[in-house]
């Protein structure tokens, strides 16, 4: 049997403990996890893509089977280029499940070899979102419960400058 590899895509603007929970659990299931920083046209970015990649690399440094990449095109095209047949997404509840199901169907239509599997977000991460982290950071609140400790200084530095 070949190597079991999956893509975990997202905006990661910035990476949160919620994302890390899914990455670590996917790394236990798959031989290799490719974390893809992709573009969500519905969102105005905050951190530059290079910075998001750098923060993910720091947060995932101890996970040997995790690789971080950035990609500006369609997820379906990236999976073809990387020969990946499984996408992993975290779901926090029914609202996520609805939108994620739609995205999974479209991606499957665009690349019929591709399947999406959902991991339920751990309950302690159910309230975390990248936009909440950005909002708290802008008001100088304590972020330590929400973001990996390795990237906390980067986030504080970015918001101290703005
Ligand atoms: N626990 C807690 N929160 C979580 C979480 C978890 N396990 N997983 C995700 N979240 C949060 C994130 O922090 C984020 O919060 P925000 O909305 O405040 O920013 C939100 O849930 C979802 O973000 P994320 O998982 O980072 O991804 P996204 O929904 O922004 O990403 C892409 C969507 C990038 C994967 C999608 O737009 C895409 O594939 N783009 C490429 C273009 C393409 O192929 N489009 C066609 C797709 S149908």
């Amino acid at each position: 049997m070949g190597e079991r590899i999956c893509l975990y895509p997202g905006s990661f603007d910035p990476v949160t403990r919620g994302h890390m929970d899914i990455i670590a659990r996917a790394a236990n299931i798959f031989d290799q996890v490719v974390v893809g920083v992709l573009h969500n046209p519905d969102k105005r970015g905050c951190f530059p893509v290079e910075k998001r990649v750098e923060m993910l690399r720091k947060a995932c440094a101890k996970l040997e089977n995790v690789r971080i990449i950035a990609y500006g095109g369609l997820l379906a095209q990236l999976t073809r280029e990387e020969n990946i047949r499984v996408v992993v997404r975290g779901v926090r509840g029914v609202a996520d499940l609805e939108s994620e199901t739609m995205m999974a169907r479209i991606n499957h239509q665009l690349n019929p070899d591709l399947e999406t599997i959902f991991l339920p977000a751990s309950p302690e991460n159910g309230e975390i979102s990248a936009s909440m982290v950005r909002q708290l950071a802008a008001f100088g609140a304590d972020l330590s419960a929400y973001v990996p400790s390795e990237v906390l200084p980067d986030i504080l530095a970015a918001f101290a400058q703005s």
Side-chain angles (χ1 to χ4, degrees):
M1 206 169 88
E3 204 187 31
R4 288 173 308 172
I5 174 167
C6 75
L7 173 72
Y8 177 51
S11 308
F12 305 107
D13 191 25
V15 58
T16 67
R17 285 186 186 265
H19 294 130
M20 290 309 296
D21 167 53
I22 302 293
I23 294 172
R25 285 160 60 200
N28 276 334
I29 304 171
F30 291 89
D31 297 317
Q32 201 192 135
V33 178
V34 177
V35 177
V37 179
L38 271 69
H39 179 60
N40 181 343
D42 295 333
K43 290 181 178 173
R44 255 188 69 232
C46 172
F47 288 91
V49 169
E50 302 72 36
K51 189 69 196 175
R52 299 183 207 176
V53 168
E54 184 195 318
M55 288 193 279
L56 273 163
R57 289 206 171 119
K58 283 184 191 172
C60 298
K62 292 193 184 113
L63 299 169
E64 283 174 5
N65 58 340
V66 174
R67 178 160 62 96
I68 320 294
I69 61 169
Y71 190 77
L74 281 175
L75 181 151
Q77 183 59 28
L78 170 64
T79 52
R80 276 211 182 84
E81 287 173 16
E82 293 274 335
N83 208 12
I84 296 175
R85 299 170 69 127
V86 180
V87 166
V88 169
R89 291 285 286 169
V91 291
R92 289 165 291 180
V94 281
D96 277 357
L97 194 58
E98 207 167 311
S99 54
E100 291 298 331
T101 301
M102 233 158 59
M103 207 158 78
R105 285 187 184 136
I106 294 170
N107 284 326
H108 184 74
Q109 275 167 12
L110 294 172
N111 178 1
D113 290 331
L114 193 62
E115 294 294 348
T116 300
I117 63 168
F118 300 139
L119 292 181
S122 300
E124 63 271 26
N125 294 318
E127 312 308 322
I128 303 177
S129 71
S131 44
M132 184 201 76
V133 164
R134 294 195 301 271
Q135 203 177 107
L136 291 177
F139 287 102
D142 180 12
L143 300 177
S144 51
Y146 308 117
V147 299
S149 54
E150 296 87 348
V151 306
L152 187 55
D154 295 82
I155 297 172
L156 295 179
F159 279 87
Q161 281 164 15
S162 59

